[in-house]
Amino acid sequence: MRIVIVGGVAAGMSAAARARRLDENAEIIVLERGEHVSYATCGLPYYVGGEIEDAASLLVQTPESLRAALALDVRTRHEVTAIDPVARTVTVHSDRGVETIEYDALVLAPGAVAVRPPIPGLDSPRVHTLRTVSDALALRSAVTDSAPPVATEPARESARQAVVLGAGFIGLEAAEALARQGVRVSLVELADHVLPPLDEEMAFFVADELDRLGVTVHTGSGTREIIPGAAHDTVVLTDGTRLPADLIVLSVGARPDTAFVERAGIRCENGAIVTDDHGRTSVPGIWAAGDAVVSTDAVTGLRRPVALAGPANRAGRLVADDILRPGAARPWPRPTGTAIVRVGRLTAAMTGANRASLTAAGIPFRTIHLHPDQHASYFPGASAIHLLVHMRDDDGLLLGAQAVGADGVDKRIDVLATAIRAGLTAPDLIDLDLAYAPPYGQAKDPVNLAGLVAANVLDGTLRLWYAQDLPTVRQTALLLDVRSRREYCAGHLPGSLNIPHTQLRDRLDEVRQAAAGRPVRVLCASGVRSALAHRILVQAGFDSASLSGGLLTLRAVHRDDTGPRAEAARPTGGPRAGRRP
Ligand code: FAD
């Protein structure tokens, strides 16, 4: 049997290696357009930033090592330009000319390419993308060498000011890498917050950290044009801002690299290849996997490509199973989009659906916010994990989770990703038996705490109000701030009444008088003390609700426009800053 694979990185090489392990006799040919195969795409930003010093470490395998270990016929600089599904051949362009190669099974793993919007000036030699080893080499040399960006230009200083277009995962990693190399970075994002897969109140913490790194963030802004110049280019934003740039990184998204697939009549949806849950395309004998394939989201059922290395690697392996062990192969799971990124001292991670996709899918949901410490608060190095969980409105089924913090974020999101995959409800999180000792967690781990809060919300023990409702709440309710007097004096919402939660039982008459028949909306720094106060108030007959996530979340939603900047409400991902729950 001859298996031909198009694309020699994550999905393609995973399929090739698995095919060999299953069948010693198969002829396996990998056709790769680029110069390298099986390289560490995900490591490219860290090479640009200098944390990975040697580019050779990015090259996990070479054609020679793959031939030696797996008897694979790997051909780099070989681009597949056409498929003939009837003759079962592919047309290949290489330095040797054009050839036709027959296949018994064809695996399409061409990945994605950077989206290039129609921005005037985008063809400037100062504009880079970050998708391949060559891209990373060019970027690193632009910030560390004094070589000219184009051969015809005179020698110049290495880039000192950069503009990164797009604040998704790759844009953020590129921005941090450039900042690490001492470059002044401006980060431009069309959406109203950085890292759009996060909900706005979580993205705020990331934006704060970018600020600390010295990266200037421009959100809600597109790029109107790039004006080339001798000394530097000028990036003009849609709001008129002009940003000088020695270097521009284009990272506004990726699209499936499938023109040759569509021309062959293989079914695609918005350019992404449609497959069944074994990776079979609409044409017999042809499979596909990776960034080029459309997926059905496990939570929302919405269809979109999922551009992540884990799903691509696993899907490639399962495709080889289906080719060589038809009938016995496991079906692909639907992706939950679990992803993680480091930004300075912080980690941001997510799994499942966010608010926008749940709304788009018409799924009724409730949200909880928590800011627990990642490990025992008395143990040195305790820091907050900002945690958000979405659950189904009626039964509490887990739908999505996001976390941002300096430590312990990866562990919590991986537990929550597993819980979503297992179909757990949010209250089921109470029962998870998670590893605990003071340096690692809490006896009630942040994940357990999320379950406890969710259970209270679902059974009515805890009623929440949300930062987004502040304008209405101000008009219709008494705002009761139950933090200490000292915290309140350091900054508070205008018009709010301060009664520390420890004094509340004795001062209920004051609340009754100030409320004058209106509902009471309670708040504190992070939502813990306000929940205690809510229980006192509700049992005393008040119409009460507690602010989800407290002032930490409220400030993230409303930035600084809610009143004096409150010391206790300052988000921190780093060491604790005089913060009490
Ligand atoms: P790719 O890995 O892109 O491989 C496709 C290959 O096919 C390419 O080498 C291409 O040259 C080749 N090809 C295309 N068309 C043809 C053709 N016609 N003929 C021959 N060859 C062709 N994901 C994560 O989960 N975590 C991360 O931290 C992460 N970091 C990333 C950082 C960067 C800078 C980038 C760009 C991506 C990152 N990703 C990350 C995403 C991850 O790398 C991709 O999801 C994954 O590589 C997709 O695998 P794939 O096999 O579908 O495509």
Side-chain angles (χ1 to χ4, degrees):
M1 172 184 241
R2 177 186 280 176
I3 303 173
V4 172
I5 297 171
V6 185
V9 189
M13 205 46 80
S14 201
R18 175 68 170 170
R20 171 58 71 229
R21 289 194 292 273
L22 295 181
D23 187 347
E24 266 299 306
N25 299 315
E27 185 187 359
I28 303 170
I29 302 173
V30 180
L31 301 167
E32 166 55 52
R33 180 177 58 197
E35 282 177 54
H36 308 284
V37 284
S38 202
Y39 59 84
T41 317
C42 309
L44 300 178
Y46 306 97
Y47 173 73
V48 174
E51 284 177 272
I52 297 175
E53 284 183 15
D54 185 359
S57 351
L58 299 169
L59 305 175
V60 183
Q61 299 280 356
T62 62
E64 295 71 35
S65 68
L66 290 162
R67 178 176 290 282
L70 292 163
L72 300 179
D73 178 354
V74 178
R75 305 179 192 176
T76 52
R77 296 175 192 259
H78 279 62
E79 177 170 11
V80 173
T81 52
I83 304 166
D84 183 338
V86 179
R88 294 205 169 206
T89 60
V90 290
T91 306
V92 186
H93 286 243
S94 70
D95 296 343
R96 294 191 316 210
V98 182
E99 62 185 313
T100 301
I101 299 177
E102 293 180 4
Y103 64 82
D104 298 305
L106 178 66
V107 179
L108 303 173
V113 283
V115 167
R116 294 185 73 84
I119 299 170
L122 200 64
D123 52 359
S124 160
R126 291 195 176 90
V127 176
H128 295 245
T129 54
L130 180 52
R131 296 209 60 87
T132 63
V133 174
S134 314
D135 291 343
L137 289 170
L139 266 171
R140 166 109 159 230
S141 111
V143 292
T144 54
D145 299 351
S146 299
V150 278
T152 49
E153 284 189 11
R156 53 132 178 87
E157 293 295 307
S158 58
R160 293 296 91 201
Q161 46 193 355
V163 175
V164 177
L165 304 177
F169 291 98
I170 296 171
L172 287 182
E173 289 179 344
E176 180 178 353
L178 296 172
R180 205 172 255 275
Q181 294 283 15
V183 177
R184 266 197 322 280
V185 183
S186 300
L187 181 60
V188 179
E189 170 57 50
L190 190 60
D192 64 0
H193 61 267
V194 297
L195 203 55
L198 284 182
D199 291 328
E200 56 170 349
E201 62 266 44
M202 303 301 283
F204 171 83
F205 301 112
V206 176
D208 225 36
E209 181 64 5
L210 286 166
D211 187 38
R212 194 191 66 77
L213 289 175
V215 173
T216 310
V217 174
H218 300 262
T219 49
S221 229
T223 305
R224 186 183 295 155
E225 65 174 320
I226 296 167
I227 303 169
H232 57 73
D233 288 357
T234 302
V235 179
V236 184
L237 306 187
T238 46
D239 65 6
T241 306
R242 297 167 78 86
L243 302 169
D246 309 322
L247 181 71
I248 297 158
V249 180
L250 178 69
S251 53
V252 295
R255 60 168 178 78
D257 194 3
T258 50
F260 71 104
V261 180
E262 290 193 285
R263 281 197 302 272
I266 296 167
R267 202 173 142 223
C268 290
E269 226 173 74
N270 299 322
I273 306 168
V274 176
T275 68
D276 67 9
D277 59 4
H278 288 285
R280 299 175 201 139
T281 68
S282 59
V283 173
I286 304 182
W287 285 256
D291 286 6
V293 167
V294 70
S295 298
T296 303
D297 185 275
V299 173
T300 60
L302 298 175
R303 288 170 67 73
R304 63 184 169 101
V306 171
L308 289 167
N313 274 280
R314 294 191 294 272
R317 186 181 191 275
L318 290 173
V319 158
D321 283 358
D322 195 57
I323 294 169
L324 291 162
R325 289 181 175 167
R330 284 159 56 84
W332 291 0
R334 291 180 168 195
T336 46
T338 307
I340 190 161
V341 64
R342 188 193 68 188
V343 183
R345 294 186 308 198
L346 291 188
T347 302
M350 65 214 70
T351 184
N354 62 10
R355 189 177 288 124
S357 54
L358 288 169
T359 306
I363 299 173
F365 64 98
R366 303 189 203 200
T367 306
I368 57 170
H369 304 86
L370 298 85
H371 309 276
D373 284 342
Q374 94 284 26
H375 63 51
S377 304
Y378 58 79
F379 191 82
S383 63
I385 293 184
H386 307 292
L387 185 60
L388 171 156
V389 174
H390 294 305
M391 58 183 166
R392 198 156 62 192
D393 187 44
D394 51 354
D395 58 2
L397 182 75
L398 277 170
L399 299 172
Q402 301 166 21
V404 180
D407 185 29
V409 162
D410 51 347
K411 164 171 150 173
R412 274 49 185 233
I413 284 297
D414 279 348
V415 170
L416 289 160
T418 309
I420 291 175
R421 164 73 54 220
L424 299 190
T425 64
D428 288 333
L429 299 174
I430 301 171
D431 305 327
L432 297 185
D433 205 354
L434 302 173
Y436 165 64
Y440 301 105
Q442 305 216 33
K444 280 189 196 127
D445 189 85
V447 171
N448 300 133
L449 284 174
L452 290 164
V453 174
N456 283 337
V457 169
L458 286 166
D459 71 14
T461 306
L462 177 60
R463 184 171 163 213
L464 295 175
W465 70 279
Y466 290 93
Q468 286 84 351
D469 302 331
L470 181 64
T472 319
V473 166
R474 271 189 161 144
Q475 308 273 330
T476 56
L478 169 70
L479 282 167
L480 178 63
D481 187 330
V482 296
R483 294 175 301 153
S484 69
R485 191 73 197 156
R486 185 183 58 77
E487 289 169 283
Y488 181 82
C489 289
H492 56 263
L493 291 177
S496 58
L497 172 69
N498 177 225
I499 300 181
H501 77 293
T502 48
Q503 301 171 15
L504 189 57
R505 286 184 185 86
D506 299 326
R507 296 175 63 182
L508 287 173
D509 284 346
E510 272 177 63
V511 179
R512 198 163 281 117
Q513 207 175 349
R518 291 174 299 162
V520 182
R521 294 297 173 256
V522 198
L523 59 114
C524 67
S526 72
V528 175
R529 285 172 286 174
S530 60
L532 294 175
H534 164 74
R535 290 302 303 154
I536 294 170
L537 290 167
V538 87
Q539 290 175 75
F542 287 90
D543 171 347
S544 153
S546 163
L547 175 61
S548 184
L551 284 166
L552 274 164
T553 297
L554 185 132
R555 179 171 176 259
V557 171
H558 294 283
R559 314 320 195 265
D560 282 333
D561 60 2
T562 49
R565 192 172 165 113
E567 177 65 22
R570 274 186 61 74
T572 172
R576 307 178 58 182
R579 193 179 40 73
R580 287 189 57 204

